[in-house]
Amino acid sequence: MLQPPYPELDDLLKMIGEAGRHLAEIEASEGAAGNISVCFRWTLEPRSRFPVIDEIELPEPVPELAGASFLVSGSGRRLREIIDEPTASLAYITVNEGGKTGRLFTSYQRRFEKATSEFNSHLAVHHDQMRSSGTNFHAVIHAQPVHLTYLSHIPRYQDEKYLNTNLLRWQPETIINLPEGIGFIPFRLPGSAELMAANVESLRTHRIVVWAKHGVMARSDVSVKRATDRVEYAETAAKYEYLNLCAGGAGERLSAEEIRAICKTFNVQQSIF
Ligand SMILES: [Zn+2]
């Protein structure tokens, strides 16, 4: 939930651009992989930046988001390039009354046909979170961090308990920033209704979820940067885990007692250890 003064349009464009660049820096967005969206309830004037107006059907009816707006990356656009020319890679959508259609605002510089192919998941997660928490701002990122995605190919890491009790033991920060742990979704077709439903479900109880053999989705109701941080914390944990596998399991890791002591000191509620 954000307090006034709310970010202006250019502030939001910059935040998304910086997140896109950082996701590429941490190798979580090769080529045109990954996508970003934010949903907000305050009113902005998009036409100075996005003067071309169309009516679109939304992939999913979102009646409770009527009047809310989105900024979302375009299909096939590179996250690392958003910062250079945001209006070429982003669309602005305001949800119409009833929540089935929206007004799509784009730029003459637009270099994409449609919003990201994962827009159905973004929309459904924003809808679910904003409805249940009452927040006026919500950010969602899909990224493809290498080590975390690699581990999701190894059968024993496809168990949520195993994944979390092994990954959350490399640094004190991990449990502090991801106290609910990392969610896990078995492989689902990209852009599918099954992946969308699984994201909604898992992100109710997690801040980040792994999509097996594909990547992650992270959310935040504070900032795009905070959602990016969650990708980075989970990926760093996976990198340690990968290093340890390569080193024949030589790492001692934080013990369950040490993690419980960290949580007690920093007042973190968790049920993993
Ligand atoms: Zn993807």
Side-chain angles (χ1 to χ4, degrees):
M1 184 90 175
L2 301 191
Q3 304 299 329
Y6 299 123
E8 299 286 345
L9 181 56
D10 281 355
D11 300 328
L12 292 171
L13 298 180
K14 190 166 173 233
M15 286 176 204
I16 295 172
E18 286 174 344
R21 184 177 57 192
H22 191 63
L23 288 165
E25 281 167 359
I26 64 167
E27 299 188 351
S29 170
E30 77 284 3
N35 29 75
I36 303 181
S37 69
V38 297
C39 182
F40 50 95
R41 287 202 185 270
W42 59 92
T43 307
L44 292 175
E45 174 48 67
R47 281 172 294 189
S48 60
R49 292 283 188 174
F50 301 100
V52 184
I53 307 174
D54 293 292
E55 286 283 317
I56 56 161
E57 201 156 313
L58 296 172
E60 176 81 359
V62 287
E64 285 93 343
L65 291 185
S69 298
F70 294 91
L71 276 162
V72 56
S73 55
S75 175
R77 300 310 306 153
R78 296 171 192 85
L79 297 190
R80 62 178 179 271
E81 291 182 350
I82 294 174
I83 194 146
D84 301 323
E85 200 182 355
T87 56
S89 298
L90 298 174
Y92 186 110
I93 297 168
T94 300
V95 180
N96 290 333
E97 209 51 52
K100 288 185 177 160
T101 57
R103 290 182 97 191
L104 172 73
F105 298 87
T106 52
S107 152
Y108 293 112
Q109 281 76 43
R110 161 184 178 175
R111 286 201 214 101
F112 56 92
E113 196 58 43
K114 288 179 157 185
T116 166
S117 56
E118 305 291 357
F119 186 46
N120 61 344
S121 275
H122 285 254
L123 190 67
V125 171
H126 286 305
H127 188 218
D128 190 64
Q129 288 292 323
M130 293 184 81
R131 190 171 43 177
S132 63
S133 75
T135 183
N136 57 2
F137 174 85
H138 196 249
V140 170
I141 290 175
H142 162 51
Q144 305 188 179
V146 174
H147 299 85
L148 201 45
T149 306
Y150 172 67
L151 292 181
S152 79
H153 285 263
I154 302 176
R156 65 182 186 274
Y157 291 94
Q158 294 165 2
D159 174 75
E160 205 167 283
K161 182 84 183 159
Y162 186 91
L163 178 78
N164 282 288
T165 48
N166 283 278
L167 263 59
L168 272 60
R169 292 175 67 174
W170 294 107
Q171 289 180 331
E173 282 82 356
T174 324
I175 191 78
I176 294 170
N177 286 285
L178 304 173
E180 304 92 356
I182 301 164
F184 184 87
I185 298 174
F187 180 76
R188 299 284 180 257
L189 276 178
S192 65
E194 291 74 23
L195 181 57
M196 176 184 75
N199 278 316
V200 168
E201 180 74 30
S202 185
L203 288 171
R204 279 181 187 156
T205 47
H206 301 90
R207 302 172 190 191
I208 180 166
V209 59
V210 173
W211 302 354
K213 308 177 186 179
H214 184 162
V216 298
M217 183 164 260
R219 64 170 176 81
S220 167
D221 56 10
V222 174
S223 66
V224 195
K225 199 166 265 183
R226 195 68 70 94
T228 310
D229 285 346
R230 289 171 180 167
V231 176
E232 193 167 16
Y233 283 120
E235 168 61 359
T236 301
K239 200 183 274 184
Y240 276 109
E241 184 69 10
Y242 172 82
L243 285 173
N244 195 48
L245 291 176
C246 294
E252 195 171 52
R253 307 184 298 179
L254 292 162
S255 68
E257 293 73 43
E258 285 166 336
I259 292 180
R260 285 195 289 268
I262 292 163
C263 293
K264 201 172 170 211
T265 305
F266 291 92
N267 202 17
V268 174
Q269 303 297 322
Q270 59 89 25
S271 55
I272 298 164
F273 295 94

